[in-house]
């Protein structure tokens, strides 16, 4: 299979060939009709020929789907979906906003595994590999949080656009139409815009897969999503004749804002609970009563205890999961679903819960009316001996496997030795987890929007071994020195035995944890649930 270096090589060949075209008049000369039925300019053909020649000279094992030549079957398992120049009009006019767009998959957008985008005017590179995050010039990208008062949308306003596009432009604070779909979607991925709206008045004027194949993976790996106008995740086949309208967004609320006049998707609620808690059954009955008439599914443990039908959370197709129990229950829910999760506190403190036991009806009413926001928190992926374990929302603990037995650890950040110490264990904490185990060890708590990870020694032998904070795009490695075993504990929910003289690695996951929030600010939560509680 070809990798990122091969895609960079193709982009280099395109950039070199385009640079030799002498002037704008030559770039814009129409020389033929492409496979997609639109006129082909000189710059398009030069770029495509350079890419195809590079593929041939380097014997790259890949089929090709390109804007001008169409599909080239080279007998390979995968296809390179290529737009040699996205933003041709910009390139001809000398506007520095056009790209070479490259993505590799088998048959449709949903199975794209690697993507590369280069702004040929500035040299900026956008890259993504499925499950490994999205990057601009090597720096991790994430979508931004939504500010309803300062919405910035990229909106297609060309001569084929729908009247709805102009209506949307009037409803947001700022909008732009830049003439390069791939870069506009990349702006959403890097957190510079809230959404990209592409709605054409005719099917034939809709977007082609070659335009957004690369940027679709980049956006999804940055924590965003792309929906059709009907509210379904966009998945276009690798066919030039296919067209689509879509909304690409960082936060789901941006889609709701864009489609405020369209029929709204009916929400499906899932319910998950700690059935060992004697309070759970009564709380669940209140939740079910408040959700009467809604589309609801319960977890199998609830179903068994209450004589209902249910399905496991991990297979539950829910939009919002209501977790009944303490913070541990909510963390277990997040380990088994990518749906947005809201907690009903059935425990003691319930720091992560949004609804308390005395206000269940009011809380569910706010859910049903859409009076909430979705807050993305990052998770941390754990890798041990080359095996992916699970993503954690709060923290990962590396701890001695024997009670009262201190261990020797080395901690590396991006391959550099950051600390060497003897301690009971090491905590790798997210901002979400900073108000949990890490705080109990004297570490500072962090606002959830801080883009960082915290490394916290547990009962360190030397007073100088203190917690420290690193940027979230770092890779952290903890090495257990010596032949004594340790435990890797993920969010307090599951354990994995770690042999001596081995190491475990941590990095931020591309899958965000999604919390349903009722606009209660972080510091109010800290005061009410930590400062003023037992």
């Amino acid at each position: 299979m070809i990798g990122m270096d091969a895609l960079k090589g193709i982009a280099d060949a395109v950039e070199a060939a385009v640079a030799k075209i002498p002037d704008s008049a030559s770039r814009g000369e129409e020389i033929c009709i492409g496979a997609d039925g639109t006129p082909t300019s000189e710059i398009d053909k030069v770029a495509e020929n350079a890419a195809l020649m590079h593929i041939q000279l380097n014997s790259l094992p890949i089929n090709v789907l390109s804007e001008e030549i169409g599909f080239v079957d080279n007998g390979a398992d995968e296809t390179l979906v290529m737009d040699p120049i996205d933003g041709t009009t910009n390139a001809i006019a000398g506007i520095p906003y056009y790209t070479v767009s490259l993505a590799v998959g088998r048959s449709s957008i949903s199975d794209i595994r690697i993507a590369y985008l280069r702004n040929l005017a500035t040299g900026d590179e956008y890259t993504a590999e499925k499950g490994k995050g999205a990057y601009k010039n090597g720096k991790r990208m994430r979508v931004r949080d939504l500010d309803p008062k300062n919405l910035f949308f990229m909106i297609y306003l060309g001569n084929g656009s729908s009247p709805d596009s102009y209506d949307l432009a009037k409803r947001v604070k700022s909008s732009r139409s830049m003439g390069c779909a791939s870069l506009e979607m990349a702006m959403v991925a890097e957190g510079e815009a809230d959404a990209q709206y592409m709605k054409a008045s005719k099917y034939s004027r809709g977007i082609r897969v070659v335009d957004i194949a690369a940027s679709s993976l980049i956006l999804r790996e940055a924590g965003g999503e792309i929906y059709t106008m009907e509210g379904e995740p966009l998945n276009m086949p690798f066919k030039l004749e296919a067209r689509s309208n879509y909304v690409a967004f960082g936060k789901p609320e941006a889609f709701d804002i864009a489609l405020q006049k369209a029929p709204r998707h009916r929400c499906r609620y899932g319910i998950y609970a700690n059935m060992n808690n004697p309070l759970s059954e009564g709380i669940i009955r209140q939740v079910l009563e408040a959700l009467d008439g809604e589309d609801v599914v319960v977890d199998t443990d609830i179903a068994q205890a209450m004589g209902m039908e249910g399905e496991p959370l991990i297979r539950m197709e829910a939009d919002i999961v209501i977790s009944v129990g303490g913070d541990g229950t909510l963390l277990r829910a997040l380990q088994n679903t990518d749906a947005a999760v809201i907690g009903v506190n059935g425990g003691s403190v319930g720091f992560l819960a949004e609804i308390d036991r005395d206000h269940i009806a009011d809380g569910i009413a706010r859910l049903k009316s859409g009076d909430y926001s979705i807050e993305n928190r990052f998770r941390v992926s754990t890798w041990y001996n080359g095996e992916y374990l699970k993503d954690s929302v709060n923290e990962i603990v590396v701890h001695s496997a024997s009670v009262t037995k201190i261990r020797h650890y080395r901690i590396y950040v991006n391959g550099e030795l950051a600390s060497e110490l003897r301690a009971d264990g090491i905590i790798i904490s997210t901002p979400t987890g900073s108000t949990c185990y890490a705080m109990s060890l004297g570490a500072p708590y962090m606002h959830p929007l801080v883009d960082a990870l915290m490394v916290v020694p547990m009962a360190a032998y030397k007073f100088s071994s203190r917690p420290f904070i690193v940027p979230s795009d770092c890779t952290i490695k903890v090495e257990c020195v010596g032949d004594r075993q340790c435990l890797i504990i993920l969010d307090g929910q599951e354990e994995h035995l770690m042999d001596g003289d081995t190491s475990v690695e941590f990095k931020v996951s591309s899958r965000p944890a999604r919390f349903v929030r009722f606009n209660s600010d972080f510091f109010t939560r800290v005061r009410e649930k930590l400062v003023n509680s037992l």
Side-chain angles (χ1 to χ4, degrees):
M1 297 190 296
I2 71 171
M4 195 67 73
D5 287 343
L7 299 187
K8 288 183 179 181
I10 295 170
D12 289 342
V14 170
E15 185 170 359
V18 168
K20 295 177 182 178
I21 303 176
D23 51 43
S24 294
S26 299
R27 286 186 173 194
E29 183 182 355
E30 293 184 3
I31 58 176
C32 63
I33 297 297
D36 65 345
T38 61
T40 297
S41 300
E42 176 75 13
I43 189 173
D44 293 314
K45 199 59 182 174
V46 166
E48 184 178 79
N49 287 346
L52 294 173
M53 183 63 70
H54 181 86
I55 292 168
Q56 183 178 0
L57 290 176
N58 290 275
S59 302
L60 298 181
I62 195 79
N63 304 321
V64 177
L65 179 68
S66 182
E67 180 181 23
E68 314 305 335
I69 201 171
F71 182 70
V72 179
D73 188 350
N74 291 321
D77 293 331
E78 293 185 313
T79 295
L80 171 67
V81 182
M82 174 174 69
D83 193 346
I85 299 292
D86 181 30
T88 299
T89 301
N90 289 344
I92 293 169
I95 300 171
Y97 206 78
Y98 54 97
T99 69
V100 53
S101 174
L102 308 166
V104 176
R106 290 184 175 272
S107 61
S108 67
I109 278 180
S110 65
D111 61 36
I112 291 174
R113 66 171 179 85
I114 188 171
Y116 180 90
L117 193 69
R118 183 185 296 179
N119 183 333
L120 291 172
T122 65
D124 287 328
E125 295 178 307
Y126 302 80
T127 61
E129 292 186 58
K130 200 165 193 175
K132 296 184 179 180
Y135 297 82
K136 179 182 180 182
N137 299 329
K139 184 178 180 180
R140 186 72 174 260
M141 294 193 301
R142 291 187 187 86
V143 299
R144 71 184 186 184
D145 288 324
L146 197 73
D147 180 357
K149 296 181 180 178
N150 293 288
L151 294 172
F152 179 31
F153 277 37
M154 313 304 293
I155 305 176
Y156 169 58
L157 295 172
N159 59 16
S161 62
S162 164
D164 293 343
S165 303
Y166 297 91
D167 175 71
L168 177 59
K170 294 176 182 178
R171 290 192 279 111
V172 298
K173 182 176 180 181
S174 302
S175 64
R176 294 292 185 275
S177 180
M178 303 296 287
C180 180
S182 58
L183 270 183
E184 290 178 22
M185 193 179 293
M187 284 187 66
V188 180
E190 64 179 312
E192 296 296 337
D194 295 298
Q196 179 198 19
Y197 184 85
M198 168 67 206
K199 187 175 183 182
S201 56
K202 297 180 180 179
Y203 178 82
S204 61
R205 302 300 298 271
I207 206 75
R208 302 160 301 185
V209 69
V210 291
D211 296 312
I212 60 166
S215 52
S216 64
L217 180 64
I218 291 168
L219 175 58
R220 283 168 169 161
E221 286 297 312
E225 186 51 272
I226 315 155
Y227 280 0
T228 65
M229 296 297 167
E230 292 71 40
E232 299 295 328
L234 180 69
N235 184 26
M236 298 178 69
F238 290 172
K239 295 180 179 180
L240 277 186
E241 60 269 23
R243 298 285 192 276
S244 184
N245 294 322
Y246 65 86
V247 180
F249 54 85
K251 303 296 180 181
E253 300 94 321
F255 177 81
D256 293 338
I257 290 166
L259 274 291
Q260 72 168 12
K261 294 185 178 180
R264 295 294 298 278
H265 168 67
R266 187 185 181 195
C267 187
R268 190 178 200 223
Y269 299 95
I271 304 178
Y272 179 77
N274 173 13
M275 296 308 292
N276 293 320
N277 184 337
L279 298 175
S280 291
E281 186 168 336
I283 295 173
I284 292 167
R285 292 192 186 280
Q286 292 183 64
V287 171
L288 288 171
E289 181 179 352
L291 288 171
D292 185 45
E294 300 293 327
D295 186 6
V296 180
V297 59
V298 301
D299 182 68
T300 46
D301 287 347
I302 298 173
Q304 183 176 2
M306 299 179 62
M308 307 168 63
E309 292 186 359
E311 58 185 273
L313 176 61
I314 198 167
R315 296 207 305 265
M316 196 181 287
E317 294 183 359
D319 300 294
I320 293 176
V321 170
I322 301 169
S323 170
V324 176
D327 286 347
T329 305
L330 192 145
L331 291 172
R332 281 195 299 278
L334 286 166
Q335 283 190 337
N336 291 284
T337 184
D338 286 330
V341 176
I342 186 169
V344 177
N345 186 21
S348 52
V349 177
F351 186 80
L352 297 176
E354 199 71 18
I355 302 173
D356 61 52
R357 291 194 293 273
D358 296 329
H359 298 92
I360 291 174
D362 292 340
I364 299 301
R366 291 188 69 172
L367 274 185
K368 291 164 62 175
S369 68
D371 182 19
Y372 60 84
S373 61
I374 303 293
E375 183 176 283
N376 280 11
R377 306 276 189 92
F378 61 73
R379 314 184 204 221
V380 176
S381 295
T382 302
W383 298 81
Y384 177 60
N385 282 341
E387 178 185 357
Y388 164 73
L389 301 183
K390 265 189 179 178
D391 288 351
S392 301
V393 176
N394 263 7
E395 79 270 309
I396 307 96
V397 176
V398 181
H399 195 282
S400 58
S402 304
V403 178
T404 71
K405 295 294 184 181
I406 199 168
R407 292 287 184 268
H408 180 186
Y409 300 99
R410 294 192 187 106
I411 303 169
Y412 298 84
V413 178
N414 287 342
E416 298 292 332
L417 181 62
S419 182
E420 186 166 4
L421 68 155
R422 294 170 63 80
D424 283 355
I426 306 294
I427 294 176
I428 310 298
S429 173
T430 68
T432 301
S434 69
T435 53
C436 189
Y437 204 168
M439 187 180 69
S440 72
L441 291 168
Y445 59 77
M446 294 190 286
H447 191 283
L449 297 183
V450 172
D451 200 11
L453 294 170
M454 184 159 52
V455 182
V456 184
M458 302 173 62
Y461 178 66
K462 291 186 177 180
F463 183 75
S464 58
S465 300
R466 310 303 298 163
F468 60 92
I469 293 172
V470 300
S472 65
D473 58 1
C474 291
T475 297
I476 300 171
K477 181 173 76 172
V478 175
E479 179 184 355
C480 181
V481 182
D483 59 1
R484 293 180 178 179
Q485 292 180 320
C486 288
L487 290 175
I488 303 167
I489 306 168
L490 309 176
D491 269 346
Q493 304 303 311
E494 63 176 61
E495 304 177 347
H496 298 269
L497 196 62
M498 179 181 179
D499 292 328
D501 289 321
T502 62
S503 60
V504 56
E505 289 194 351
F506 312 96
K507 65 186 304 183
V508 169
S509 170
S510 61
R511 299 170 51 242
R514 302 170 59 214
F515 289 83
V516 176
R517 291 298 188 211
F518 291 153
N519 302 320
S520 58
D521 71 273
F522 172 71
F523 294 108
T524 298
R525 188 180 296 267
V526 169
R527 289 197 310 273
E528 292 178 350
K529 297 201 174 189
L530 296 182
V531 177
N532 299 327
S533 65
L534 295 177

XYZ file of all heavy atoms in Angstrom, residues 191-239:
374
model
N -10.064 24.640 12.663
C -10.690 25.512 13.644
C -10.730 26.962 13.260
O -10.911 27.837 14.120
N -10.609 27.270 11.975
C -10.688 28.656 11.515
C -12.106 29.045 11.103
O -12.433 30.216 11.019
C -9.733 28.881 10.334
C -8.272 28.701 10.676
C -7.782 29.723 11.687
O -8.401 30.797 11.798
O -6.793 29.449 12.379
N -12.948 28.061 10.816
C -14.346 28.307 10.451
C -15.222 27.285 11.164
O -14.742 26.221 11.579
C -14.540 28.216 8.937
N -16.506 27.613 11.313
C -17.424 26.721 12.018
C -18.022 25.655 11.103
O -18.318 24.547 11.554
C -18.560 27.530 12.651
C -18.052 28.462 13.730
O -17.508 27.962 14.726
O -18.175 29.683 13.559
N -18.225 25.990 9.829
C -18.873 25.044 8.928
C -18.637 25.451 7.486
O -18.264 26.599 7.192
C -20.375 24.960 9.204
N -18.852 24.499 6.588
C -18.838 24.745 5.148
C -20.170 24.247 4.594
O -20.567 23.104 4.840
C -17.679 24.009 4.480
C -17.609 24.203 2.970
C -16.753 23.144 2.301
O -16.499 22.089 2.859
N -16.310 23.418 1.082
N -20.849 25.110 3.860
C -22.198 24.807 3.368
C -22.150 24.760 1.848
O -21.823 25.749 1.191
C -23.151 25.900 3.847
C -24.606 25.710 3.513
C -25.436 24.942 4.319
C -25.170 26.339 2.405
C -26.792 24.809 4.030
C -26.515 26.206 2.103
C -27.323 25.429 2.924
O -28.655 25.303 2.650
N -22.479 23.604 1.308
C -22.471 23.413 -0.146
C -23.846 22.912 -0.573
O -24.197 21.755 -0.352
C -21.383 22.412 -0.545
C -21.463 21.919 -1.977
S -21.137 23.216 -3.182
C -22.048 22.594 -4.599
N -24.654 23.815 -1.129
C -25.970 23.420 -1.623
C -26.185 24.045 -2.989
O -26.264 25.267 -3.119
C -27.083 23.838 -0.663
C -28.453 23.289 -1.079
C -29.524 23.599 -0.056
C -30.853 22.968 -0.463
N -31.941 23.284 0.499
N -26.246 23.187 -4.011
C -26.463 23.642 -5.382
C -27.945 23.557 -5.727
O -28.701 22.774 -5.149
C -25.652 22.793 -6.349
N -28.349 24.374 -6.695
C -29.755 24.392 -7.094
C -30.129 23.189 -7.946
O -31.290 22.804 -8.017
C -30.067 25.679 -7.856
O -29.197 25.811 -8.981
N -29.134 22.564 -8.585
C -29.362 21.381 -9.408
C -28.378 20.291 -9.014
O -27.248 20.577 -8.620
C -29.174 21.707 -10.900
C -30.162 22.717 -11.455
C -29.882 22.966 -12.937
C -30.861 23.978 -13.519
N -30.575 24.244 -14.951
N -28.796 19.048 -9.157
C -27.925 17.918 -8.823
C -26.616 17.982 -9.605
O -25.538 17.719 -9.057
C -28.644 16.597 -9.121
C -27.797 15.363 -8.860
C -27.681 14.851 -7.569
C -27.109 14.718 -9.897
C -26.902 13.720 -7.320
C -26.330 13.598 -9.652
C -26.239 13.105 -8.359
O -25.471 11.991 -8.119
N -26.686 18.369 -10.857
C -25.501 18.384 -11.715
C -24.454 19.403 -11.260
O -23.302 19.346 -11.675
C -25.894 18.664 -13.169
O -26.524 19.930 -13.274
N -24.874 20.365 -10.414
C -23.937 21.376 -9.928
C -23.395 21.042 -8.544
O -22.657 21.839 -7.956
C -24.620 22.753 -9.892
C -25.163 23.230 -11.231
C -24.067 23.354 -12.288
N -23.063 24.332 -11.936
C -23.131 25.623 -12.258
N -24.164 26.090 -12.950
N -22.170 26.454 -11.903
N -23.766 19.898 -8.027
C -23.281 19.497 -6.708
C -21.797 19.161 -6.736
O -21.154 19.094 -7.782
N -21.249 18.915 -5.558
C -19.818 18.641 -5.429
C -19.485 17.256 -5.965
O -20.307 16.342 -5.924
C -19.374 18.772 -3.950
C -17.891 19.129 -3.858
C -19.678 17.510 -3.176
C -17.585 20.559 -4.208
N -18.265 17.092 -6.485
C -17.774 15.791 -6.949
C -16.871 15.177 -5.887
O -16.252 15.882 -5.086
C -16.994 15.953 -8.248
C -17.787 16.578 -9.377
C -16.858 17.150 -10.424
N -15.978 18.174 -9.857
C -15.135 18.904 -10.563
N -15.042 18.724 -11.860
N -14.376 19.806 -9.973
N -16.750 13.880 -5.910
C -15.947 13.195 -4.897
C -14.480 13.590 -4.977
O -13.787 13.658 -3.957
C -16.125 11.666 -5.009
C -15.487 11.117 -6.281
C -15.540 10.968 -3.777
N -13.986 13.897 -6.192
C -12.571 14.248 -6.317
C -12.256 15.553 -5.574
O -11.126 15.766 -5.132
C -12.140 14.373 -7.795
C -12.151 13.007 -8.470
C -13.023 15.362 -8.553
N -13.248 16.434 -5.438
C -13.014 17.723 -4.797
C -12.786 17.599 -3.291
O -12.014 18.365 -2.710
C -14.197 18.670 -5.038
C -14.369 19.009 -6.509
O -13.373 19.358 -7.153
O -15.505 18.917 -7.005
N -13.476 16.662 -2.649
C -13.472 16.644 -1.182
C -13.034 15.314 -0.581
O -13.125 15.137 0.638
C -14.866 17.009 -0.630
C -15.924 16.002 -1.113
C -15.240 18.435 -1.000
C -17.231 16.103 -0.363
N -12.554 14.382 -1.400
C -12.146 13.081 -0.850
C -11.095 13.256 0.234
O -11.204 12.692 1.334
C -11.626 12.178 -1.967
N -10.042 14.022 -0.048
C -8.972 14.211 0.936
C -9.448 15.016 2.134
O -9.233 14.636 3.292
C -7.777 14.889 0.272
N -10.113 16.128 1.882
C -10.504 17.011 2.991
C -11.564 16.372 3.881
O -11.672 16.716 5.060
C -10.992 18.358 2.464
O -11.989 18.196 1.480
N -12.348 15.422 3.363
C -13.349 14.770 4.203
C -12.694 13.958 5.314
O -13.137 14.004 6.465
C -14.267 13.879 3.355
O -13.541 12.810 2.769
N -11.633 13.220 4.977
C -10.929 12.473 6.022
C -10.216 13.429 6.978
O -10.215 13.218 8.198
C -9.919 11.503 5.409
C -9.122 10.670 6.431
C -10.038 9.738 7.212
C -8.009 9.876 5.756
N -9.617 14.473 6.440
C -8.923 15.453 7.282
C -9.885 16.054 8.304
O -9.564 16.167 9.490
C -8.283 16.542 6.405
C -7.109 15.942 5.604
C -7.807 17.724 7.240
C -6.594 16.836 4.495
N -11.083 16.436 7.857
C -12.066 17.011 8.777
C -12.510 16.001 9.824
O -12.569 16.309 11.021
C -13.278 17.533 8.004
C -14.442 18.055 8.856
C -13.993 19.185 9.772
C -15.606 18.500 7.984
N -12.823 14.793 9.402
C -13.296 13.793 10.359
C -12.211 13.433 11.367
O -12.504 13.202 12.550
C -13.793 12.557 9.600
C -15.174 12.792 8.987
C -15.611 11.746 8.004
N -17.040 11.923 7.665
C -17.623 11.416 6.602
N -16.921 10.693 5.727
N -18.909 11.625 6.383
N -10.961 13.403 10.937
C -9.871 13.111 11.874
C -9.594 14.292 12.804
O -8.955 14.126 13.841
C -8.603 12.731 11.108
C -8.650 11.346 10.496
C -8.765 10.243 11.547
O -8.001 10.279 12.527
O -9.646 9.367 11.409
N -10.054 15.477 12.438
C -9.899 16.653 13.309
C -11.069 16.781 14.290
O -11.120 17.727 15.072
C -9.786 17.920 12.465
N -12.019 15.842 14.230
C -13.148 15.851 15.160
C -14.431 16.392 14.587
O -15.419 16.538 15.312
N -14.442 16.710 13.286
C -15.650 17.216 12.646
C -16.415 16.128 11.920
O -16.105 14.944 12.027
N -17.411 16.533 11.137
C -18.238 15.571 10.413
C -18.813 16.259 9.187
O -18.793 17.489 9.062
C -19.348 15.046 11.325
C -20.204 13.921 10.753
C -19.416 12.758 10.185
O -19.076 12.858 8.985
O -19.158 11.787 10.900
N -19.317 15.467 8.250
C -19.959 15.951 7.034
C -21.287 15.235 6.888
O -21.317 14.000 6.872
C -19.093 15.686 5.785
C -17.650 16.059 6.052
C -19.630 16.446 4.579
C -16.672 15.310 5.183
N -22.362 16.005 6.804
C -23.690 15.439 6.646
C -24.279 15.858 5.299
O -23.983 16.943 4.782
C -24.642 15.943 7.735
C -24.533 15.268 9.074
C -23.619 14.231 9.311
C -25.349 15.664 10.130
C -23.534 13.623 10.551
C -25.269 15.070 11.372
C -24.362 14.050 11.581
O -24.290 13.461 12.811
N -25.118 14.995 4.773
C -25.978 15.397 3.676
C -27.038 16.344 4.216
O -27.167 16.523 5.436
C -26.664 14.175 3.048
O -27.558 13.600 4.029
C -25.647 13.131 2.618
N -27.811 16.951 3.322
C -28.862 17.856 3.772
C -29.970 17.116 4.532
O -30.782 17.731 5.220
C -29.461 18.609 2.584
C -28.474 19.532 1.886
S -27.895 20.837 2.985
C -26.502 21.482 2.052
N -29.988 15.794 4.426
C -30.976 14.994 5.141
C -30.480 14.574 6.519
O -31.165 13.865 7.247
C -31.339 13.748 4.327
C -32.097 14.020 3.039
C -31.229 14.670 1.963
O -30.050 14.275 1.826
O -31.724 15.583 1.280
N -29.256 14.972 6.882
C -28.737 14.673 8.210
C -28.039 13.344 8.334
O -27.838 12.838 9.446
N -27.626 12.749 7.212
C -26.902 11.484 7.237
C -25.425 11.738 6.936
O -25.086 12.626 6.143
C -27.472 10.505 6.205
C -28.927 10.141 6.424
C -29.141 9.385 7.717
O -28.217 8.635 8.122
O -30.207 9.532 8.326
N -24.506 10.973 7.549
C -23.081 11.132 7.228
C -22.835 10.953 5.728
O -23.333 10.012 5.118
C -22.415 10.011 8.041
C -23.348 9.777 9.186
C -24.729 9.981 8.617
N -22.087 11.860 5.150
C -21.818 11.835 3.716
C -20.906 10.663 3.360
O -19.870 10.463 3.979
C -21.161 13.144 3.282
C -20.816 13.262 1.790
C -22.090 13.358 0.962
C -19.928 14.461 1.529
N -21.303 9.899 2.348
C -20.470 8.798 1.855
C -20.673 8.685 0.354
O -21.616 8.045 -0.111
C -20.817 7.488 2.542
C -19.890 6.368 2.107
O -18.753 6.611 1.701
N -20.361 5.130 2.186
N -19.785 9.308 -0.420
C -19.903 9.308 -1.875
C -19.072 8.178 -2.474
O -17.954 7.912 -2.028
C -19.426 10.643 -2.443
C -20.224 11.839 -1.979
S -19.569 13.388 -2.657
C -20.005 13.199 -4.409
N -19.571 7.509 -3.525
C -18.776 6.480 -4.195
C -17.683 7.110 -5.042
O -17.752 8.288 -5.403
C -19.814 5.768 -5.073
C -20.816 6.841 -5.382
C -20.906 7.683 -4.140
N -16.684 6.319 -5.368
C -15.600 6.792 -6.234
C -16.079 6.755 -7.692
O -15.662 5.922 -8.490
C -14.358 5.928 -6.071
C -13.659 6.084 -4.746
C -12.621 5.242 -4.389
C -14.024 7.076 -3.854
C -11.965 5.383 -3.184
C -13.382 7.226 -2.632
C -12.348 6.372 -2.298
N -16.966 7.680 -8.023
C -17.496 7.786 -9.382
C -17.611 9.261 -9.731
O -18.165 10.046 -8.955
C -18.869 7.110 -9.488
C -18.847 5.601 -9.271
C -20.252 5.018 -9.400
C -20.230 3.508 -9.198
N -21.597 2.921 -9.309
